[in-house]
């Protein structure tokens, strides 16, 4: 088990959308690809009339909220998350979207639906937090119809390259270097994991980077990693102010902090069905 999928850390990290929102804010404010990650992700969804759709780890529901005008009128969407706080936030954010018919507190490793029930399943940036991914992916294959599709987003091991060094150059006590979600399930190793339970796996990459011209959103991003990184032990109020000044000085000197991004999506089809 790593800190990426330690159940207690994950529950602490996502008991509300505070940390997730801080990370989303940095990407929304300073991404160089102005089309937008959530727009691109939604564009990949090929929903058919009357599809039953389920999302695991729905978070604050931002992908649906930002694409509400694109959601087909006749699909039925179930949103799930292991965090009651996240589900509550998602429901508050998505009250006007009639296609979302149910919110469920559910673990992807133990899905409470019958075989071949859904047409589409979605898991955005969450499989790397699952302890038993093989079980989770087999559960997805089980609940999908034979022509069903599983949409999965994640990062590359090269995503945000340079940020760890930036943080550790400020304070080497921060154990950021050992934290990697992509080593669990990323663009480099996700297809192999999915292929055990799906006949077809396609990988799509979203081209983007960060051009950061203000220190505070990056400070908030780093602080949002509490639990995954030993933030609480090191980043006292005074140390956080010093970190802000450290980033401000870099931006004043160089004009910006530029960080490459590497994220994408797997589209898995033809689920392998277990024989009795």
């Amino acid at each position: 088990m790593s800190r990426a999928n330690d159940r207690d850390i994950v529950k602490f990290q996502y008991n509300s959308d505070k940390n997730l929102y801080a990370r989303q804010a940095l990407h929304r404010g300073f991404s160089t690809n102005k089309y937008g990650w959530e727009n691109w992700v939604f564009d990949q969804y090929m929903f058919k009339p009357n599809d039953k759709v389920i999302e695991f780890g729905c978070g604050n529901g931002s992908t649906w909220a930002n694409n509400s005008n694109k959601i087909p009128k006749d699909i039925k969407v179930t949103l799930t998350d292991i965090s009651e706080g996240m589900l509550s936030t998602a429901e508050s954010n998505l009250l006007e979207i009639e296609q979302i018919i149910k919110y469920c507190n559910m673990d992807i490793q133990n899905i409470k639906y019958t075989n071949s029930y859904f047409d589409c399943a979605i898991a955005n940036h969450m499989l790397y937090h699952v302890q038993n991914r093989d079980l989770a992916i087999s559960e997805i294959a089980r609940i999908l119809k034979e022509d069903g599709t599983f949409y999965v987003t994640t990062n590359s091991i090269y995503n945000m390259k340079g940020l760890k060094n930036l943080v550790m150059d400020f304070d080497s006590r921060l154990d950021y270097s050992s934290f990697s979600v992509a080593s669990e399930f990323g663009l480099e190793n996700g297809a192999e994991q999915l292929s055990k339970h799906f006949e077809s796996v396609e990988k799509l990459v979203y081209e983007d980077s960060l051009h950061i011209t203000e220190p505070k959103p990056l400070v908030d991003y780093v602080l949002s990693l509490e639990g995954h990184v030993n933030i609480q032990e090191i980043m006292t109020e005074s140390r956080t102010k010093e970190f802000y000044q450290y980033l401000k000085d870099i931006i004043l000197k160089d004009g910006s902090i530029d960080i490459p991004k590497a994220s994408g999506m797997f589209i898995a089809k033809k689920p392998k069905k277990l024989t009795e």
Side-chain angles (χ1 to χ4, degrees):
M1 184 193 305
S2 74
R3 280 179 294 166
N5 58 27
D6 182 298
R7 195 175 183 87
D8 291 336
I9 291 175
V10 172
K11 281 190 172 183
F12 170 76
Q13 170 67 209
Y14 294 104
N15 63 351
S16 75
D17 81 328
K18 175 177 73 78
N19 292 320
L20 175 62
Y21 185 83
R23 295 195 285 276
Q24 289 175 333
L26 179 71
H27 290 293
R28 286 184 185 137
F30 301 97
S31 290
T32 58
N33 186 333
K34 297 306 180 185
Y35 186 65
W37 166 256
E38 287 161 336
N39 291 326
W40 179 83
V41 167
F42 199 88
D43 286 351
Q44 311 314 313
Y45 299 156
M46 295 291 110
F47 298 132
K48 303 185 300 296
N50 302 308
D51 268 357
K52 293 178 184 175
V53 180
I54 187 167
E55 180 176 7
F56 295 91
C58 68
N60 55 17
S62 59
T63 301
W64 299 98
N66 286 302
N67 292 279
S68 59
N69 61 327
K70 300 180 189 176
I71 304 172
K73 297 296 184 185
D74 53 4
I75 68 170
K76 292 180 172 60
V77 181
T78 298
L79 298 187
T80 82
D81 204 290
I82 201 168
S83 164
E84 291 279 10
M86 282 291 195
L87 276 177
S88 178
T89 300
E91 190 164 6
S92 297
N93 290 342
L94 303 172
L95 287 174
E96 304 302 317
I97 301 178
E98 296 178 355
Q99 297 92 323
I100 300 175
I101 61 169
K102 192 178 294 184
Y103 297 84
C104 298
N105 180 231
M106 189 180 297
D107 187 338
I108 193 173
Q109 298 165 108
N110 184 23
I111 302 173
K112 305 297 186 182
Y113 281 97
T114 57
N115 296 351
S116 304
Y117 187 83
F118 288 97
D119 300 279
C120 296
I122 296 167
N124 287 330
H125 278 65
M126 63 80 68
L127 272 186
Y128 41 60
H129 290 314
V130 177
Q131 288 184 1
N132 190 338
R133 272 183 306 282
D134 187 65
L135 174 61
I137 296 167
S138 72
E139 277 284 272
I140 295 294
R142 178 184 65 79
I143 64 163
L144 281 175
K145 297 176 182 177
E146 288 188 0
D147 61 349
T149 304
F150 185 26
Y151 299 96
V152 191
T153 64
T154 189
N155 298 324
S156 163
I157 57 174
Y158 302 106
N159 186 56
M160 306 288 278
K161 187 177 181 182
L163 179 59
K164 291 181 181 182
N165 289 339
L166 184 73
V167 171
M168 294 182 67
D169 284 348
F170 168 73
D171 195 319
S172 60
R173 296 174 297 167
L174 289 164
D175 56 3
Y176 197 161
S177 63
S178 61
F179 172 61
S180 174
V181 293
S183 63
E184 297 290 329
F185 182 91
L187 292 183
E188 289 76 20
N189 61 16
E192 181 181 0
Q193 297 179 54
L194 291 166
S195 293
K196 290 181 65 177
H197 301 284
F198 289 85
E199 297 285 355
S200 168
V201 179
E202 178 187 8
K203 180 171 73 174
L204 305 176
V205 176
Y206 181 73
E207 301 293 339
D208 202 1
S209 64
L210 289 172
H211 180 72
I212 302 167
T213 54
E214 299 172 25
K216 188 177 185 305
L218 186 51
V219 172
D220 292 342
Y221 180 99
V222 172
L223 293 180
S224 80
L225 297 170
E226 56 182 345
H228 291 311
V229 180
N230 59 338
I231 296 294
Q232 292 172 307
E233 300 169 29
I234 309 298
M235 298 300 283
T236 61
E237 183 176 349
S238 62
R239 198 70 179 124
T240 299
K241 289 179 180 177
E242 291 169 358
F243 184 49
Y244 176 94
Q245 189 61 48
Y246 163 77
L247 296 176
K248 183 178 180 181
D249 289 344
I250 294 173
I251 292 170
L252 286 172
K253 175 178 174 288
D254 298 336
S256 64
I257 295 173
D258 294 282
I259 298 172
K261 293 165 65 173
S263 301
M265 174 185 285
F266 292 108
I267 301 176
K269 297 182 178 181
K270 299 180 180 178
K272 300 177 183 178
K273 300 296 185 178
L274 295 175
T275 56
E276 297 295 335

